[in-house]
Amino acid sequence: MPIRSMDELPLQGNKVFVRVDFNVPLKNGVIQDDTRIRAALPTLRRILEVGGAVVLASHLGRPKGGPDPAFSLAPVAERLGELLGFSVFQAPEVVGPKAAELANALEPGEVLLLENVRFEPGETKNDPDLGGRLAALADLYVNDAFGAAHRAHASTAGMAAYFRPDHKAAGYLLLRELEALRRVLESPEKPFAAVLGGAKVSDKIAVVENLLGKADRLLVGGGMAFTFLAAQGVEIGDSLLEADRIDVARETLGKARACGSEILLPLDHVIAREPAEGAEVRTTEGTAIPKGWKGLDIGPRTRDAFANALADARTVVWNGPMGVFEVPAFAEGTFAVARAVAAAPGFTVVGGGDSVSAVKKSGVADRIGHVSTGGGASLEFLEGKVLPGIAALE
Ligand code: ADP
Ligand code: MG
């Protein structure tokens, strides 16, 4: 079912509950990166500009089922006020008499930020009672928290049931994410190449399976590649191996052949005994890795092969680094892939927390079609799963 845009809601003169993802990194109460707050501004500005009022909600960190000042959204309220150019009201609770009173008194053009929704134990349990109490604070519901859309929580999913279908919709950020990810999965221009990496096969196998038959080429690197190589009988030394997934990897390689998706595995590796800076580093000749050594990055021949496979791609999706890119000695393969994705002629999407940070580090983020703001959510979307936050709006 198509999802409504907030533009279709009667925003003027109404109170709009907006669930955002303000789960920003905090250190001693200081915001380290306000990207997530900035990402919500277009949605908020639009509602305020047409004469709506905003009741804002977000989670922050993982408080243990009750109020905890260390996880208060107070620093976020302050930063948001700076960005909007006027101060926002702050509720001392999520739901309750004080929150209700503040929400009631809200005038068009004003913003009220509720406390961290995870201060309510019912939030992560998707408690219908909490959903109802949250819904009672506003007339309309807008979900703009893509980063939390894979969670069936009270504020991301449950509360939507209390609004009429034409009174709930997606915010601009959620819409942009959906459009980019749907374009890749539902109507990819060909050739379609997917680059998959990261540490574990078990984390990514569902994405590989969902892309079989859709993507023309699947480029597999990172730690997960070694289970695939092991499935082909290649010596992988002490590299990351999920022995219980070797059969699944072998089956996947077979399915890929049957459905016309080509899986490209590393041809060579950068290896060391430990993934530490200053360790002795070697590059292998071929796919095999000697005992006592670990594959920690894709080698130069693999980088060229992957760049070649991306050079004419009309659609690219990338999730998962090609090596232990946190350590400079093993980062070059990931950066080379980042450059190749950026140079691809087609529409490109990068998802995954570490992949996005790698793309930013490599300096090519502004040449990527869409950099997803939701790690877990984009992964589940690529797995073909229905995200509860999105289903709740349909
Ligand atoms: P994302 O957050 O983009 O989805 P993942 O969390 O799945 O990515 O994977 C990122 C992690 O994978 C990084 O911490 C990286 O160090 C690790 N990694 C990549 N390649 C290897 C490898 N060859 N051996 C061990 N760990 C690896
Ligand atoms: Mg990660």
Side-chain angles (χ1 to χ4, degrees):
M1 214 191 294
I3 201 161
R4 267 191 185 75
S5 156
M6 59 182 240
D7 287 335
E8 295 166 57
L9 299 184
L11 300 170
Q12 193 195 348
N14 274 319
K15 292 194 180 81
V16 190
F17 190 105
V18 185
R19 174 54 156 104
V20 285
D21 178 7
F22 283 171
N23 185 26
V24 293
L26 273 184
K27 216 189 224 160
N28 303 322
V30 180
I31 296 169
Q32 305 296 303
D33 179 352
D34 64 3
T35 308
R36 286 184 166 160
I37 305 178
R38 290 175 185 274
L41 291 177
T43 291
L44 303 182
R45 288 202 175 112
R46 178 66 189 163
I47 296 169
L48 300 171
E49 163 188 296
V50 301
V54 173
V55 178
L56 264 179
S58 176
H59 71 287
L60 176 66
R62 293 172 185 270
K64 302 262 172 291
D68 178 345
F71 295 97
S72 168
L73 281 169
V76 173
E78 197 164 320
R79 185 78 194 107
L80 177 62
E82 286 165 17
L83 292 168
L84 285 171
F86 61 89
S87 54
V88 306
F89 295 102
Q90 232 190 299
E93 59 190 4
V94 184
V95 287
K98 289 182 213 116
E101 196 181 311
L102 285 162
N104 250 332
L106 215 55
E107 298 281 344
E110 293 181 340
V111 178
L112 167 67
L113 178 63
L114 302 175
E115 249 312 353
N116 188 343
V117 284
R118 289 197 186 161
F119 286 0
E120 284 293 329
E123 166 65 3
T124 54
K125 294 185 190 120
N126 198 7
D127 173 25
D129 177 60
L130 177 62
R133 294 169 77 197
L134 288 167
L137 296 172
D139 309 303
L140 308 171
Y141 176 70
V142 166
N143 189 350
D144 212 17
F146 179 71
H150 59 314
R151 309 273 188 220
H153 291 174
S155 67
T156 58
M159 67 179 288
Y162 294 87
F163 293 89
R164 287 168 27 187
D166 56 345
H167 279 181
K168 53 188 167 192
Y172 294 145
L173 178 64
L174 185 60
L175 286 171
R176 191 149 48 85
E177 291 277 2
L178 277 181
E179 193 191 329
L181 292 166
R182 283 193 171 146
R183 181 167 163 191
V184 163
L185 283 189
E186 291 166 18
S187 52
E189 244 190 276
K190 303 274 187 161
F192 172 14
V195 188
L196 298 168
K200 289 159 97 192
V201 178
S202 45
D203 284 348
K204 302 291 163 83
I205 194 73
V207 178
V208 176
E209 299 258 329
N210 190 42
L211 292 176
L212 286 179
K214 290 193 176 87
D216 302 292
R217 303 162 196 154
L218 286 139
L219 288 52
V220 177
M224 69 183 278
F226 297 106
T227 302
F228 281 94
L229 290 172
Q232 293 183 326
V234 174
E235 285 298 327
I236 59 160
D238 290 354
S239 305
L240 206 62
L241 172 71
E242 285 169 272
D244 57 338
R245 303 291 163 136
I246 293 179
D247 289 342
V248 178
R250 192 177 296 119
E251 274 167 37
T252 304
L253 291 168
K255 280 190 213 158
R257 265 190 302 277
C259 69
S261 293
E262 188 190 358
I263 293 189
L264 284 78
L265 293 170
L267 306 167
D268 60 352
H269 317 275
V270 174
I271 60 172
R273 291 184 186 276
E274 283 310 320
E277 196 61 50
E280 183 193 344
V281 173
R282 293 185 189 167
T283 300
T284 61
E285 285 294 323
T287 48
I289 296 174
K291 282 206 174 59
W293 293 76
K294 295 182 166 91
L296 298 169
D297 193 9
I298 53 172
R301 285 173 56 214
T302 310
R303 292 171 207 166
D304 287 349
F306 283 12
N308 260 332
L310 294 168
D312 66 341
R314 304 294 316 167
T315 306
V316 178
V317 62
W318 177 21
N319 177 286
M322 297 292 101
V324 181
F325 76 102
E326 298 92 336
V327 180
F330 313 110
E332 195 41 49
T334 298
F335 291 165
V337 162
R339 290 192 294 271
V341 172
F347 179 59
T348 54
V349 174
V350 177
D354 292 294
S355 313
V356 168
S357 102
V359 161
K360 287 183 178 161
K361 266 196 193 170
S362 70
V364 298
D366 57 346
R367 285 157 58 205
I368 303 291
H370 180 75
V371 178
S372 179
T373 56
S378 65
L379 192 66
E380 291 198 15
F381 198 98
L382 293 175
E383 289 174 0
K385 280 194 192 151
V386 174
L387 306 187
I390 289 160
L393 299 174
E394 283 170 348

